[in-house]
Every structure is written in C-alpha cells, then in structure tokens.
Amino acid sequence: QLQASGGGLVQAGGSLRLSCAASGSIFSINAMGWYRQAPGNQRELVAADTSGVSTRYKDSVKGRFTISRDNVKNAMYLQMNSLKPEDTAVYYCYADLKRSRNDNGLRYWGQGTQVTVSS
C-alpha cells in the first residue's frame, strides 16, 4: 500500500513537501508520480518519475515543483515551491510496482492528501 503525507494549508508563495511511502512486500517499483484533483475538476497528472530515468511535469508546475525518489526507502517526494491558489487540490500518489518476480505489476494509489493555498 501507499501512504501519502505532507499536505496542509499554506499561503501563496509558500512551500510544502509531500511524501509517499510504499510498504509491504516489494520486488520492484517502476514509475511513481503524483496526480491532483480540485473540486469540480478531473484528476490531472502533476509530476511523474519513470524508474528514476526521466521525469515529467504538468506545464503549470514546471520550475516550481520537483519530484524525487528514495529507492532504498521505497519513497517518493514532491517539493512544491512558490505555491499558488490554483494548486489547491487533493494530491494522490501512485506507484507501479511488482510484489514478486512473477508479478505482472499493478498501479497502487495513496489515500490523497489535501493541499490548500490561500491568497
């Protein structure tokens, strides 16, 4: 399972760091990333990391958000700087992982963490 944390209330221009940790039996983790969903909006991809090889970001967060991974801890982080009110949403982490060598792999989701940016 995945456990997300780090959300909260912050003023515009402030920073937050989200964390996401995978637990249980883990053979390998491929892609990890973050989606967000604001009220009335569809869930959208914010940032993704593919096996530590490449990263991609939603255009509106480029230069402000940074995704990183700790493969020893099976964890992922999203450093969010210069936050804007439009970043307000519930943030969900995901991980494409295999529980064993013969596992086909599944996408697991965290429970979501609320980020609120006040103007």
Side-chain angles (χ1 to χ4, degrees), residues 25-89:
S25 177
I26 297 171
F27 177 75
S28 65
I29 301 178
N30 188 5
M32 299 184 78
W34 295 90
Y35 276 77
R36 70 186 182 189
Q37 186 168 22
N41 291 354
Q42 290 185 333
R43 190 175 292 195
E44 59 184 10
L45 180 67
V46 177
D49 179 300
T50 306
S51 298
V53 174
S54 64
T55 58
R56 58 189 178 113
Y57 297 91
K58 178 180 173 60
D59 284 346
S60 64
V61 308
K62 287 180 181 177
R64 300 188 297 121
F65 291 10
T66 302
I67 189 171
S68 61
R69 291 171 61 161
D70 184 333
N71 292 325
V72 174
K73 297 181 178 180
N74 292 322
M76 171 182 61
Y77 309 97
L78 186 67
Q79 179 66 43
M80 304 185 295
N81 299 328
S82 302
L83 282 161
K84 304 176 180 180
E86 51 264 42
D87 295 319
T88 295

